[in-house]
Amino acid sequence: MQERFNFKTIAPNALKAMAGLETYLSQCSISGRIMELIKVRASQINGCAFCINIHTQDAIKKGETDQRIFLLTAWREAGVLFTEEEKAVLAVTEEITLIHQGGLSDDTYTNALQFFSKTQIADIITAIVTINLWNRVVLSTHLLIGQSLA
């Protein structure tokens, strides 16, 4: 697979807008560990090796364990390895990432409200939408691990 074009060169204003979302997320109400779980799980679903590589490393830097990263694709079956709060976020992440399968269900949203305020849920949704945006840019331009988007 060969890179199709340099997104930064071709669409610098789009990249700047995407970076603005990242700036917002870096200051939002969601913890760094939860943020990285969102980013890794969505990237796994989308098959974005570039983003999985970056965000698993970032997750480890923020205190995530190798075991939890290895089992993230099977979080429902991982028992107590993930908290109920994390499971709620992962369910929201999967349903929004797989929006063509029905989107965020009422049950999943109601469950998330047990752990998060509406403001936090808005931040979670923003994080999910943002990583899905990055995944789609990276996959569409064939950006390879080790290359730079920024």
Side-chain angles (χ1 to χ4, degrees):
M1 183 167 60
Q2 185 175 5
E3 183 181 21
R4 291 182 170 158
F5 61 87
N6 183 311
F7 194 80
K8 178 182 178 183
T9 303
I10 301 298
N13 289 334
L15 189 61
K16 184 178 178 182
M18 293 165 64
L21 285 168
E22 291 296 339
T23 298
Y24 171 80
L25 290 171
S26 72
Q27 302 165 11
C28 79
S29 64
I30 304 306
S31 75
R33 284 184 70 177
I34 293 274
M35 190 70 69
E36 294 307 325
L37 287 177
I38 290 168
K39 290 177 179 182
V40 173
R41 186 63 192 120
S43 298
Q44 289 172 332
I45 293 166
N46 290 323
C48 185
F50 182 91
C51 293
I52 294 168
N53 183 55
I54 288 172
H55 294 295
T56 54
Q57 291 175 47
D58 289 348
I60 290 168
K61 288 175 190 172
K62 292 181 181 172
E64 196 52 77
T65 67
D66 291 345
Q67 181 185 29
R68 284 170 36 103
I69 291 171
F70 298 152
L71 291 171
L72 189 54
T73 58
W75 63 268
R76 284 184 177 87
E77 291 79 29
V80 297
L81 201 57
F82 294 94
T83 68
E84 293 304 312
E85 176 184 60
E86 291 166 337
K87 290 176 184 179
V89 168
L90 291 168
V92 171
T93 300
E94 290 183 357
E95 289 184 9
I96 291 174
T97 299
L98 298 168
I99 200 159
H100 65 283
Q101 295 181 0
L104 183 57
S105 69
D106 289 339
D107 288 345
T108 300
Y109 173 74
T110 300
N111 184 52
L113 280 172
Q114 293 180 53
F115 305 101
F116 302 101
S117 69
K118 288 180 182 179
T119 299
Q120 289 173 309
I121 292 174
D123 288 343
I124 290 166
I125 291 170
T126 302
I128 296 164
V129 169
T130 301
I131 190 59
N132 274 279
L133 173 61
W134 286 111
N135 291 165
R136 282 151 176 76
V137 168
V138 167
L139 290 169
S140 298
T141 61
H142 290 178
L143 190 65
L144 302 175
I145 292 174
Q147 293 177 308
S148 176
L149 184 60

